[in-house]
Amino acid sequence: MTNATATTAPSAADVPARGALRALLPALAAHRAMTARTCAAALLEQGSLVALVTLAAHTVGTAVIEGRAPSTVTVTALVALVLVRALTTWREMDLSHDLAYRVLAVLRVRVFDGLARSAPARIAGRRSGDLAATALADVEALEFFYAHTTAQLLASGTIFTGGSLGLAVVEPWLLAAVLPVAALLAAAPFADARGRAERGGRTRTAAARLSADTVETVDGLRVLLAFGRLAERRRMLAERGRQVGDAQRAEATWEAVAAAVRDLLIVAAVLGVVAAAAQSVTSGRLHGAWAPAAMALALSVLGPVAESARALSQAVDHTTDSGLLCLGGGTG
């Protein structure tokens, strides 16, 4: 972290979303081995799900279309994939949260050091109490990025790349149906990054002011009672609460719209895959049980991308107005 006594710092709106996320990655450097294990667990977890869905679709398609019961090998493979999926899901959650809390422990020390050097000064015109509430709350918010975003992004990218290569060989039209949707989902978290940063900034600033003013009110309660200013102070705190509520509603409205857009993209992908599969069956490029298996593969490789887009959207919200960035140095 840079010297916290600096009087200027980049505002959240001036920090690109991608840059804000990149600023968090160096904190993982001291945990390379655990990061690698977490990424491997996430890759196995997502890969086993894709394999399970695809094999299950092929098995059902074989039973319905060709009238053949699944073989012992197929049943064994399905059971094994279910077990692998369950174990790797638990292992990935365990490793990712362990990694996240180790990183956050280091970040808390850095934040306290920076605030200790700055007190009782103001930074970028903001009170030390406001900065302390904002920065420490942001440290907790970064848990989502380290526990639910980093490994999952790498795994979903790898799974989608591998699945896309498979679709390109089996039926390119299915790839054409999911590729544009995947690109839009990947770009969606960075749409209107400046506006999102401004909305997040209003929420965090309002919450920090409410927290700091509440603490000041409690500390000065005896003085407020002596001078008859308690009612005025209560009105001010009520106004601070309304400001927090308004800012939170603005963020929630935007997130609801973004989630609806992601859902519409998924629906468009499903319709595109169904249409492409129907055309492929009609033209004879896909036969029998391979048609539902190819459809399942197309949609299952898109699923992790959609989930990663949702997680990345939340990570962008948590980091584009980070109190750590306001302190002037990200996590470095």
Side-chain angles (χ1 to χ4, degrees):
M1 181 180 294
T2 57
N3 194 331
T5 58
T7 57
T8 61
S11 67
D14 296 329
V15 180
R18 291 182 181 86
L21 294 176
R22 282 196 299 267
L24 302 178
L25 296 178
L28 296 172
H31 306 279
R32 290 187 180 91
M34 182 170 289
T35 301
R37 290 197 298 271
T38 304
C39 291
L43 184 60
L44 287 174
E45 184 258 335
Q46 294 186 17
S48 63
L49 177 61
V50 172
L52 176 61
V53 171
T54 304
L55 181 57
H58 183 270
T59 303
V60 173
T62 300
V64 174
I65 298 173
E66 301 178 6
R68 289 192 290 112
S71 65
T72 304
V73 174
T74 300
V75 173
T76 303
L78 289 172
V79 172
L81 285 171
V82 170
L83 294 176
V84 169
R85 162 74 173 169
L87 291 175
T88 53
T89 298
W90 169 81
R91 183 60 174 164
E92 187 273 332
M93 292 177 62
D94 179 46
L95 287 173
S96 62
H97 284 83
D98 189 1
L99 173 64
Y101 289 120
R102 288 175 186 269
V103 173
L104 295 189
V106 176
L107 295 184
R108 288 191 194 95
V109 173
R110 294 180 180 178
V111 170
F112 276 117
D113 286 346
L115 293 173
R117 289 195 298 269
S118 70
R122 289 172 176 251
I123 304 175
R126 301 176 65 181
R127 293 177 296 179
S128 295
D130 291 342
L131 284 173
T134 300
L136 294 178
D138 284 339
V139 168
E140 296 300 324
L142 294 181
E143 181 270 339
F144 187 89
F145 174 79
Y146 290 115
H148 301 281
T149 306
T150 50
Q152 290 78 0
L153 286 176
L154 178 61
S156 62
T158 304
I159 293 297
F160 184 79
T161 301
S164 297
L165 293 176
L167 289 174
V169 174
V170 174
E171 179 47 73
W173 284 108
L174 291 175
L175 178 61
V178 300
L179 197 57
V181 174
L184 290 173
L185 286 172
F190 303 102
D192 191 28
R194 182 176 294 273
R196 297 174 71 148
E198 290 174 352
R199 285 187 291 272
R202 285 195 294 269
T203 299
R204 298 174 193 277
T205 299
R209 286 175 178 170
L210 177 61
S211 176
D213 289 338
T214 300
V215 172
E216 289 180 357
T217 299
V218 173
D219 289 343
L221 186 59
R222 188 171 299 176
V223 176
L224 292 172
L225 288 172
F227 287 91
R229 305 292 295 273
L230 184 58
E232 178 184 343
R233 192 70 174 186
R234 291 175 62 183
R235 287 192 296 270
M236 186 195 73
L237 291 178
E239 178 60 27
R240 295 289 194 214
R242 283 191 291 270
Q243 291 173 359
V244 172
D246 291 341
Q248 290 175 337
R249 279 191 293 273
E251 276 198 294
T253 300
W254 171 263
E255 283 306 313
V257 172
V261 170
R262 289 195 298 270
D263 291 341
L264 288 175
L265 289 174
I266 295 298
V267 172
V270 171
L271 295 177
V273 166
V274 171
Q279 194 274 339
S280 299
V281 171
T282 302
S283 62
R285 289 194 301 270
L286 285 177
H287 304 280
W290 289 109
M295 293 172 61
L297 175 61
L299 295 176
S300 61
V301 298
L302 187 62
V305 176
E307 182 62 23
S308 295
R310 183 195 63 81
L312 188 59
S313 177
Q314 295 187 39
V316 169
D317 287 340
H318 289 329
T319 57
T320 49
D321 189 56
S322 174
L324 303 176
L325 295 176
C326 293
L327 285 172
T331 60

PDB file of all heavy atoms in Angstrom, residues 266-290:
ATOM      1  N   ILE A 266     -29.291 -16.162 -22.022  1.00  0.00           N
ATOM      2  CA  ILE A 266     -29.324 -17.622 -21.871  1.00  0.00           C
ATOM      3  C   ILE A 266     -30.501 -18.210 -22.649  1.00  0.00           C
ATOM      4  O   ILE A 266     -30.369 -19.239 -23.329  1.00  0.00           O
ATOM      5  CB  ILE A 266     -29.419 -18.005 -20.391  1.00  0.00           C
ATOM      6  CG1 ILE A 266     -28.149 -17.568 -19.647  1.00  0.00           C
ATOM      7  CG2 ILE A 266     -29.615 -19.510 -20.243  1.00  0.00           C
ATOM      8  CD1 ILE A 266     -26.890 -18.222 -20.126  1.00  0.00           C
ATOM      9  N   VAL A 267     -31.664 -17.559 -22.555  1.00  0.00           N
ATOM     10  CA  VAL A 267     -32.834 -18.032 -23.310  1.00  0.00           C
ATOM     11  C   VAL A 267     -32.544 -17.997 -24.806  1.00  0.00           C
ATOM     12  O   VAL A 267     -32.891 -18.937 -25.543  1.00  0.00           O
ATOM     13  CB  VAL A 267     -34.062 -17.176 -22.960  1.00  0.00           C
ATOM     14  CG1 VAL A 267     -35.231 -17.519 -23.889  1.00  0.00           C
ATOM     15  CG2 VAL A 267     -34.477 -17.396 -21.509  1.00  0.00           C
ATOM     16  N   ALA A 268     -31.916 -16.928 -25.269  1.00  0.00           N
ATOM     17  CA  ALA A 268     -31.566 -16.835 -26.692  1.00  0.00           C
ATOM     18  C   ALA A 268     -30.612 -17.958 -27.095  1.00  0.00           C
ATOM     19  O   ALA A 268     -30.744 -18.540 -28.187  1.00  0.00           O
ATOM     20  CB  ALA A 268     -30.935 -15.474 -26.985  1.00  0.00           C
ATOM     21  N   ALA A 269     -29.665 -18.292 -26.208  1.00  0.00           N
ATOM     22  CA  ALA A 269     -28.738 -19.386 -26.504  1.00  0.00           C
ATOM     23  C   ALA A 269     -29.466 -20.717 -26.590  1.00  0.00           C
ATOM     24  O   ALA A 269     -29.192 -21.534 -27.480  1.00  0.00           O
ATOM     25  CB  ALA A 269     -27.649 -19.447 -25.445  1.00  0.00           C
ATOM     26  N   VAL A 270     -30.410 -20.955 -25.666  1.00  0.00           N
ATOM     27  CA  VAL A 270     -31.172 -22.206 -25.687  1.00  0.00           C
ATOM     28  C   VAL A 270     -31.958 -22.324 -26.990  1.00  0.00           C
ATOM     29  O   VAL A 270     -31.949 -23.375 -27.658  1.00  0.00           O
ATOM     30  CB  VAL A 270     -32.117 -22.277 -24.473  1.00  0.00           C
ATOM     31  CG1 VAL A 270     -33.061 -23.467 -24.600  1.00  0.00           C
ATOM     32  CG2 VAL A 270     -31.312 -22.374 -23.187  1.00  0.00           C
ATOM     33  N   LEU A 271     -32.645 -21.251 -27.375  1.00  0.00           N
ATOM     34  CA  LEU A 271     -33.410 -21.278 -28.621  1.00  0.00           C
ATOM     35  C   LEU A 271     -32.495 -21.493 -29.822  1.00  0.00           C
ATOM     36  O   LEU A 271     -32.832 -22.244 -30.753  1.00  0.00           O
ATOM     37  CB  LEU A 271     -34.196 -19.973 -28.771  1.00  0.00           C
ATOM     38  CG  LEU A 271     -35.292 -19.719 -27.725  1.00  0.00           C
ATOM     39  CD1 LEU A 271     -35.928 -18.358 -27.943  1.00  0.00           C
ATOM     40  CD2 LEU A 271     -36.344 -20.819 -27.764  1.00  0.00           C
ATOM     41  N   GLY A 272     -31.333 -20.833 -29.805  1.00  0.00           N
ATOM     42  CA  GLY A 272     -30.396 -21.002 -30.907  1.00  0.00           C
ATOM     43  C   GLY A 272     -29.863 -22.421 -31.001  1.00  0.00           C
ATOM     44  O   GLY A 272     -29.720 -22.972 -32.098  1.00  0.00           O
ATOM     45  N   VAL A 273     -29.565 -23.020 -29.845  1.00  0.00           N
ATOM     46  CA  VAL A 273     -29.056 -24.396 -29.839  1.00  0.00           C
ATOM     47  C   VAL A 273     -30.127 -25.363 -30.338  1.00  0.00           C
ATOM     48  O   VAL A 273     -29.839 -26.281 -31.130  1.00  0.00           O
ATOM     49  CB  VAL A 273     -28.582 -24.778 -28.424  1.00  0.00           C
ATOM     50  CG1 VAL A 273     -28.372 -26.285 -28.303  1.00  0.00           C
ATOM     51  CG2 VAL A 273     -27.287 -24.053 -28.099  1.00  0.00           C
ATOM     52  N   VAL A 274     -31.365 -25.187 -29.893  1.00  0.00           N
ATOM     53  CA  VAL A 274     -32.453 -26.066 -30.341  1.00  0.00           C
ATOM     54  C   VAL A 274     -32.645 -25.944 -31.852  1.00  0.00           C
ATOM     55  O   VAL A 274     -32.789 -26.959 -32.564  1.00  0.00           O
ATOM     56  CB  VAL A 274     -33.753 -25.731 -29.588  1.00  0.00           C
ATOM     57  CG1 VAL A 274     -34.934 -26.481 -30.196  1.00  0.00           C
ATOM     58  CG2 VAL A 274     -33.615 -26.073 -28.111  1.00  0.00           C
ATOM     59  N   ALA A 275     -32.640 -24.702 -32.350  1.00  0.00           N
ATOM     60  CA  ALA A 275     -32.820 -24.507 -33.793  1.00  0.00           C
ATOM     61  C   ALA A 275     -31.663 -25.106 -34.586  1.00  0.00           C
ATOM     62  O   ALA A 275     -31.874 -25.760 -35.620  1.00  0.00           O
ATOM     63  CB  ALA A 275     -32.950 -23.016 -34.094  1.00  0.00           C
ATOM     64  N   ALA A 276     -30.440 -24.901 -34.101  1.00  0.00           N
ATOM     65  CA  ALA A 276     -29.277 -25.445 -34.806  1.00  0.00           C
ATOM     66  C   ALA A 276     -29.282 -26.963 -34.779  1.00  0.00           C
ATOM     67  O   ALA A 276     -28.955 -27.623 -35.785  1.00  0.00           O
ATOM     68  CB  ALA A 276     -27.994 -24.905 -34.173  1.00  0.00           C
ATOM     69  N   ALA A 277     -29.657 -27.558 -33.639  1.00  0.00           N
ATOM     70  CA  ALA A 277     -29.711 -29.016 -33.554  1.00  0.00           C
ATOM     71  C   ALA A 277     -30.788 -29.585 -34.470  1.00  0.00           C
ATOM     72  O   ALA A 277     -30.577 -30.618 -35.131  1.00  0.00           O
ATOM     73  CB  ALA A 277     -29.967 -29.438 -32.111  1.00  0.00           C
ATOM     74  N   ALA A 278     -31.940 -28.926 -34.519  1.00  0.00           N
ATOM     75  CA  ALA A 278     -33.010 -29.398 -35.405  1.00  0.00           C
ATOM     76  C   ALA A 278     -32.578 -29.355 -36.863  1.00  0.00           C
ATOM     77  O   ALA A 278     -32.838 -30.292 -37.637  1.00  0.00           O
ATOM     78  CB  ALA A 278     -34.267 -28.545 -35.196  1.00  0.00           C
ATOM     79  N   GLN A 279     -31.887 -28.286 -37.235  1.00  0.00           N
ATOM     80  CA  GLN A 279     -31.413 -28.177 -38.615  1.00  0.00           C
ATOM     81  C   GLN A 279     -30.360 -29.236 -38.920  1.00  0.00           C
ATOM     82  O   GLN A 279     -30.326 -29.812 -40.009  1.00  0.00           O
ATOM     83  CB  GLN A 279     -30.851 -26.767 -38.837  1.00  0.00           C
ATOM     84  CG  GLN A 279     -30.615 -26.387 -40.291  1.00  0.00           C
ATOM     85  CD  GLN A 279     -29.258 -26.825 -40.794  1.00  0.00           C
ATOM     86  OE1 GLN A 279     -28.349 -27.060 -39.989  1.00  0.00           O
ATOM     87  NE2 GLN A 279     -29.126 -26.939 -42.114  1.00  0.00           N
ATOM     88  N   SER A 280     -29.508 -29.534 -37.928  1.00  0.00           N
ATOM     89  CA  SER A 280     -28.462 -30.533 -38.130  1.00  0.00           C
ATOM     90  C   SER A 280     -29.041 -31.931 -38.260  1.00  0.00           C
ATOM     91  O   SER A 280     -28.567 -32.739 -39.054  1.00  0.00           O
ATOM     92  CB  SER A 280     -27.469 -30.476 -36.964  1.00  0.00           C
ATOM     93  OG  SER A 280     -26.860 -29.207 -36.885  1.00  0.00           O
ATOM     94  N   VAL A 281     -30.074 -32.233 -37.457  1.00  0.00           N
ATOM     95  CA  VAL A 281     -30.728 -33.541 -37.554  1.00  0.00           C
ATOM     96  C   VAL A 281     -31.430 -33.684 -38.902  1.00  0.00           C
ATOM     97  O   VAL A 281     -31.368 -34.738 -39.560  1.00  0.00           O
ATOM     98  CB  VAL A 281     -31.720 -33.728 -36.390  1.00  0.00           C
ATOM     99  CG1 VAL A 281     -32.569 -34.981 -36.602  1.00  0.00           C
ATOM    100  CG2 VAL A 281     -30.964 -33.818 -35.067  1.00  0.00           C
ATOM    101  N   THR A 282     -32.099 -32.617 -39.326  1.00  0.00           N
ATOM    102  CA  THR A 282     -32.803 -32.660 -40.606  1.00  0.00           C
ATOM    103  C   THR A 282     -31.842 -32.889 -41.773  1.00  0.00           C
ATOM    104  O   THR A 282     -32.151 -33.640 -42.711  1.00  0.00           O
ATOM    105  CB  THR A 282     -33.581 -31.351 -40.821  1.00  0.00           C
ATOM    106  OG1 THR A 282     -34.499 -31.167 -39.737  1.00  0.00           O
ATOM    107  CG2 THR A 282     -34.349 -31.386 -42.131  1.00  0.00           C
ATOM    108  N   SER A 283     -30.691 -32.238 -41.690  1.00  0.00           N
ATOM    109  CA  SER A 283     -29.714 -32.379 -42.777  1.00  0.00           C
ATOM    110  C   SER A 283     -28.882 -33.647 -42.660  1.00  0.00           C
ATOM    111  O   SER A 283     -28.083 -33.947 -43.559  1.00  0.00           O
ATOM    112  CB  SER A 283     -28.788 -31.163 -42.795  1.00  0.00           C
ATOM    113  OG  SER A 283     -28.051 -31.088 -41.575  1.00  0.00           O
ATOM    114  N   GLY A 284     -29.025 -34.389 -41.559  1.00  0.00           N
ATOM    115  CA  GLY A 284     -28.312 -35.640 -41.397  1.00  0.00           C
ATOM    116  C   GLY A 284     -26.928 -35.533 -40.793  1.00  0.00           C
ATOM    117  O   GLY A 284     -26.193 -36.530 -40.752  1.00  0.00           O
ATOM    118  N   ARG A 285     -26.547 -34.351 -40.297  1.00  0.00           N
ATOM    119  CA  ARG A 285     -25.206 -34.202 -39.714  1.00  0.00           C
ATOM    120  C   ARG A 285     -25.136 -34.770 -38.297  1.00  0.00           C
ATOM    121  O   ARG A 285     -24.067 -35.143 -37.824  1.00  0.00           O
ATOM    122  CB  ARG A 285     -24.790 -32.730 -39.717  1.00  0.00           C
ATOM    123  CG  ARG A 285     -24.487 -32.181 -41.106  1.00  0.00           C
ATOM    124  CD  ARG A 285     -23.770 -30.839 -41.028  1.00  0.00           C
ATOM    125  NE  ARG A 285     -24.560 -29.850 -40.323  1.00  0.00           N
ATOM    126  CZ  ARG A 285     -25.439 -29.045 -40.941  1.00  0.00           C
ATOM    127  NH1 ARG A 285     -25.646 -29.158 -42.239  1.00  0.00           N
ATOM    128  NH2 ARG A 285     -26.123 -28.147 -40.256  1.00  0.00           N
ATOM    129  N   LEU A 286     -26.276 -34.793 -37.587  1.00  0.00           N
ATOM    130  CA  LEU A 286     -26.356 -35.401 -36.262  1.00  0.00           C
ATOM    131  C   LEU A 286     -27.345 -36.552 -36.305  1.00  0.00           C
ATOM    132  O   LEU A 286     -28.436 -36.425 -36.887  1.00  0.00           O
ATOM    133  CB  LEU A 286     -26.795 -34.365 -35.211  1.00  0.00           C
ATOM    134  CG  LEU A 286     -25.754 -33.342 -34.762  1.00  0.00           C
ATOM    135  CD1 LEU A 286     -26.379 -32.357 -33.788  1.00  0.00           C
ATOM    136  CD2 LEU A 286     -24.545 -33.994 -34.135  1.00  0.00           C
ATOM    137  N   HIS A 287     -27.006 -37.659 -35.687  1.00  0.00           N
ATOM    138  CA  HIS A 287     -27.830 -38.844 -35.761  1.00  0.00           C
ATOM    139  C   HIS A 287     -28.170 -39.341 -34.353  1.00  0.00           C
ATOM    140  O   HIS A 287     -27.328 -39.317 -33.461  1.00  0.00           O
ATOM    141  CB  HIS A 287     -27.123 -39.965 -36.522  1.00  0.00           C
ATOM    142  CG  HIS A 287     -26.705 -39.569 -37.898  1.00  0.00           C
ATOM    143  ND1 HIS A 287     -27.574 -39.553 -38.966  1.00  0.00           N
ATOM    144  CD2 HIS A 287     -25.497 -39.170 -38.383  1.00  0.00           C
ATOM    145  CE1 HIS A 287     -26.935 -39.167 -40.041  1.00  0.00           C
ATOM    146  NE2 HIS A 287     -25.675 -38.935 -39.724  1.00  0.00           N
ATOM    147  N   GLY A 288     -29.387 -39.802 -34.181  1.00  0.00           N
ATOM    148  CA  GLY A 288     -29.792 -40.511 -32.989  1.00  0.00           C
ATOM    149  C   GLY A 288     -29.507 -39.762 -31.703  1.00  0.00           C
ATOM    150  O   GLY A 288     -29.801 -38.575 -31.534  1.00  0.00           O
ATOM    151  N   ALA A 289     -28.872 -40.468 -30.768  1.00  0.00           N
ATOM    152  CA  ALA A 289     -28.642 -39.929 -29.436  1.00  0.00           C
ATOM    153  C   ALA A 289     -27.575 -38.848 -29.413  1.00  0.00           C
ATOM    154  O   ALA A 289     -27.416 -38.171 -28.395  1.00  0.00           O
ATOM    155  CB  ALA A 289     -28.242 -41.058 -28.488  1.00  0.00           C
ATOM    156  N   TRP A 290     -26.822 -38.684 -30.502  1.00  0.00           N
ATOM    157  CA  TRP A 290     -25.794 -37.646 -30.508  1.00  0.00           C
ATOM    158  C   TRP A 290     -26.390 -36.247 -30.557  1.00  0.00           C
ATOM    159  O   TRP A 290     -25.739 -35.280 -30.160  1.00  0.00           O
ATOM    160  CB  TRP A 290     -24.853 -37.859 -31.688  1.00  0.00           C
ATOM    161  CG  TRP A 290     -23.978 -39.060 -31.506  1.00  0.00           C
ATOM    162  CD1 TRP A 290     -24.046 -40.252 -32.166  1.00  0.00           C
ATOM    163  CD2 TRP A 290     -22.908 -39.182 -30.568  1.00  0.00           C
ATOM    164  NE1 TRP A 290     -23.094 -41.122 -31.707  1.00  0.00           N
ATOM    165  CE2 TRP A 290     -22.377 -40.489 -30.713  1.00  0.00           C
ATOM    166  CE3 TRP A 290     -22.352 -38.346 -29.615  1.00  0.00           C
ATOM    167  CZ2 TRP A 290     -21.318 -40.966 -29.950  1.00  0.00           C
ATOM    168  CZ3 TRP A 290     -21.298 -38.806 -28.844  1.00  0.00           C
ATOM    169  CH2 TRP A 290     -20.789 -40.090 -29.013  1.00  0.00           C
TER     170      TRP A 290
END
